[in-house]
Amino acid sequence: MREKELPEIVRADEWAPLVIRTDYTDDDTWREVVAALARAVEGERDWEAAVHLVEDRRWDGVTGAEALAAAARDEELSVVFLADEVTMRSPLRPLLALDLGADDDEGLDPVYYQELIDAPPPREVRVAPDAVHMVHGNLQLANVDFAEFVEEAAADPGGVVRDLVTDPGDGAVSDYAGGPLR
């Protein structure tokens, strides 16, 4: 099977999370996702960068592996977020976050890293729209590694990373890199 030819992604701001729409079944839901991403940077959080949205039908139906391969051309990018079928169907609208940093583990010496080679870390996790900036920023700064977000999602009843600032959960705050993620 021939790999899908995807357009190059050109970002002007490395601090803007990259969100690619890969499901075109519901334009109203997509507008909800975009609005939720915009709300996450209003008010006290207006210092954060805007989101770089890719809305191009050539991305329709693209798999996580295909998106990772295309996004990996941007060497400054640590994570890419997909608005896929799950995003469009779930009431929480969780985006699929894909870890581009996992490729750093390629070519490891099996003498020392066999356990990591046999059981590579997860490369994807679901992220609520209001947590996209928090996840992206912490990965860009290398404050947190991707596996910590996977653990956070595993502890969530919905299996999703949520923004600790706005999450109305049980009041528990998780600490990363010496302090709570914000």
Side-chain angles (χ1 to χ4, degrees):
M1 183 174 160
R2 193 171 158 245
E3 229 177 271
K4 196 173 197 174
E5 182 74 27
L6 297 172
E8 183 176 356
I9 301 165
V10 179
R11 298 179 311 133
D13 184 353
E14 72 179 282
W15 297 107
L18 174 62
V19 177
I20 302 172
R21 182 178 181 185
T22 63
D23 183 292
Y24 286 81
T25 58
D26 189 338
D27 289 338
D28 290 335
T29 299
W30 170 245
R31 284 189 284 277
E32 284 178 33
V33 170
V34 172
L37 290 165
R39 278 191 306 274
V41 295
E42 290 176 350
E44 69 183 70
R45 301 179 74 192
D46 61 0
W47 54 270
E48 292 186 39
V51 177
H52 182 98
L53 298 173
V54 175
E55 188 174 5
D56 181 331
R57 287 199 177 268
R58 291 179 286 180
W59 290 89
D60 189 19
V62 167
T63 66
E66 291 169 328
L68 274 173
R73 295 181 224 157
D74 183 340
E75 294 177 4
E76 301 298 319
L77 191 60
S78 58
V79 62
V80 63
F81 300 90
L82 303 185
D84 62 2
E85 182 179 0
V86 173
T87 306
M88 300 302 177
R89 293 179 189 234
S90 170
L92 185 58
R93 309 290 182 234
L95 293 116
L96 180 63
L98 301 171
D99 179 22
L100 281 108
D103 289 337
D104 296 343
D105 297 338
E106 290 181 5
L108 292 176
D109 185 343
V111 170
Y112 301 105
Y113 298 102
Q114 191 62 49
E115 186 176 325
L116 183 59
I117 293 168
D118 290 343
R123 294 197 69 174
E124 59 185 49
V125 69
R126 290 282 165 186
V127 177
D130 66 350
V132 165
H133 282 85
M134 180 263 304
V135 170
H136 177 264
N138 277 285
L139 290 171
Q140 283 295 101
L141 292 170
N143 284 342
V144 180
D145 61 22
F146 199 83
E148 290 177 82
F149 288 118
V150 172
E151 287 176 24
E152 183 73 21
D156 180 79
V160 175
V161 175
R162 300 170 193 252
D163 189 341
L164 300 177
V165 174
T166 59
D167 184 20
D170 63 4
V173 175
S174 297
D175 289 337
Y176 294 103
L181 291 174
R182 299 285 181 209

